[in-house]
Amino acid sequence: MFGNPGSTELPMLADFPGDFRYVLGLQEAVVVGMADGFAQASGRTTIANLHTAPGVGNAMGAIFNAQANHSPLLITAGQQARAQITLQANLTNRDATRMPHPLVKWAYEPARAEDVPLALAHGAHLASLPPKGPTFVSLPMDDWYAEVDEADARHAVERTVSGRATADPEAVRTLAQRLDAATNPVFVAGPDIDASGAWETAIALVERQRLPVWASPATGGNRLGFPEGHPNFRGVLPPAIGPVGQTLEGHDLIVVAGSSVFPYYPYIPGPLLPEGAKLVAITSDPDEASRAPMGDAIVADVKLTLEALLEAAPESSRPSPEPNQPPQEIPAADPLNSSTVHSALAEVLPEDAIVVLESPSSTLALRNQLRLSRPGSYYFSAGGGLGFGLAASVGIQLAQPDRPVVCVLGEGSAQYAITAFWSAVAYKTPVTFLVLRNSEYAILKWFAEVEQISGAPGLDLPALDVAAVAEGYGVKAHRAGGRDEVRGALAGALASSAPELVEVPVAPGMALF
Ligand SMILES: Cc1ncc(C[n+]2csc(CCOP(=O)(O)OP(=O)(O)O)c2C)c(N)n1
């Protein structure tokens, strides 16, 4: 349970059970961000316990991210005592279940205190069923003193509910035939490949069918769907309508697995698909399947469906795609640019490392330089709300204590979850924080150019000293300038058993390679 307590939550926390661990976050956006990271990296439904109305309010951006990430969270919040809700005593969340809408799958306040165990079980099961996502239960603070029927409560909490659905066998057979009959098919790998455990199956399928692979657009990619160092890997699809269509030009069948079609942004119109191309998406989310603007869809567990497809698809006699090129070398400059920093990181990054990324202007450069190729090695906010990265990295490290975690942040992004530095120190999570300091909101300046906007205020961040702030929370911080210095500082932080931060001044602007 990740939480930030208030008086309305104290009765719930009394006699805290020994088989739960409570992880304190200093602000509710950080609580939900840490829980989101933990839930994704552990695969376990996780509780985020928030303070009544203002706490839920603080967490809304992070709840938005968690639903976009398909993160199984049971969010609970305290509520005024039942006797004082109607008169709206202080701290009453007067419309508790409406407040987190439409970001949760289900929001509920039990009708009776006796119903709390069943309501919590309902929320936990529903959060873990596809599409996974947050649910919300509001808990009046006096409910914790009520008597429940023990046998009823045990029935409510001892159930298991499983929800991995297999695909219609006919739909899979048809797709296997279409795939094999296509002249130039392509595979688009989305984040739910990793989340569903289909990593090896996806590799086997594209090798069997000799498919080139694109990653679904980075905007919605909270995880990787395919090893980026694999010879069949082509790159990351651009996020906008026109450019996606252009990039997939020449393909007659596009198979998308584990992604919405597509997480577009910004709006650059154009044909949705290249001339003559057909698309089939595999997703466990009925809403993703239904709202896609083109193509067919199969709604089922991504791993089970890819396994069935692998079995049904023959070994193809198509030539294998041209092997992918290694990352471009970026000449060192003073100050460094983000690509150079990422290439230095690539040299010291252990094979089993996990990268958590929130450095908007260098997302593509990092993906290209690092070519991460292990499952569960990359986390990003599919929702795009800043504050995920720093908080989630702490939750991810708690879920994966044996893997090194590197959290790459823009100095602007770090501010949205800055208090997570405290939790990193308090819970001894040895995250390596790499902060790129370009003294601006670089991505927004790039957007301004794309959108032909001039004269927008508020895009510069002079004198924002993240290293000094992190030190205030107890994180050991280093400032590094040249490429070798950056590499050395990162290697040192990676070897440390405490959280450490490396801040690097970088040139302004976007880094694409
Ligand atoms: C909660 C939230 N508020 C505002 C934004 C808009 N936004 C997107 S990127 C960005 C700038 C991030 O700056 P920084 O981390 O320094 O990265 P850079 O663009 O310089 O790479 C902002 C403010 C957002 N995505 N989420």
Side-chain angles (χ1 to χ4, degrees), residues 161-346:
V161 180
S162 61
R164 292 177 66 205
T166 51
D168 175 0
E170 188 52 42
V172 174
R173 256 195 307 278
T174 307
L175 177 55
Q177 282 159 6
R178 286 175 74 180
L179 195 54
D180 199 49
T183 311
N184 188 11
V186 62
F187 188 78
V188 178
D192 282 349
I193 288 180
D194 195 23
S196 70
W199 192 263
E200 298 301 333
T201 316
I203 297 170
L205 178 70
V206 307
E207 289 179 353
R208 192 170 173 78
Q209 273 289 310
R210 319 257 168 98
L211 305 172
V213 181
W214 287 91
S216 59
T219 35
N222 54 307
R223 302 168 81 132
L224 302 183
F226 197 77
E228 303 207 324
H230 190 283
N232 291 32
F233 187 68
R234 294 282 84 102
V236 184
L237 276 184
I241 293 173
V244 168
Q246 281 159 19
T247 308
L248 296 174
E249 201 83 55
H251 294 291
D252 54 343
L253 180 65
I254 300 155
V255 177
V256 183
S259 167
S260 66
V261 176
F262 283 108
Y264 296 120
Y265 193 83
Y267 179 55
I268 305 177
L272 287 164
L273 285 177
E275 187 70 28
K278 301 281 186 212
L279 182 146
V280 182
I282 299 165
T283 170
S284 64
D285 183 346
D287 191 66
E288 269 179 14
S290 311
R291 70 177 193 253
M294 73 288 200
D296 302 326
I298 297 174
V299 180
D301 182 78
V302 173
K303 182 180 187 204
L304 295 175
T305 309
L306 290 179
E307 280 172 354
L309 191 57
L310 178 64
E311 212 174 290
E315 180 88 42
S316 172
S317 54
R318 270 187 287 269
S320 290
E322 286 292 305
N324 197 12
Q325 296 301 308
Q328 202 169 307
E329 278 210 21
I330 311 289
D334 185 20
L336 297 177
N337 60 44
S338 307
S339 301
T340 320
V341 177
H342 295 328
S343 73
L345 172 62

Side-chain angles (χ1 to χ4, degrees), residues 24-69:
L24 176 63
L26 301 188
Q27 203 262 18
E28 288 82 357
V30 169
V31 170
V32 173
M34 291 194 297
D36 184 350
F38 183 88
Q40 288 193 70
S42 66
R44 292 165 60 189
T45 302
T46 303
I47 302 180
N49 187 32
L50 311 177
H51 187 46
T52 177
V56 176
N58 281 346
M60 289 292 274
I63 300 173
F64 175 81
N65 285 335
Q67 57 84 34
N69 292 337

Side-chain angles (χ1 to χ4, degrees), residues 334-337 341 435-438 479-482 486 503-507:
D334 185 20
L336 297 177
N337 60 44
V341 177
V435 176
L436 301 176
R437 183 172 177 178
N438 58 11
R479 293 176 175 83
V486 170
E503 184 186 271
V504 186
V506 292

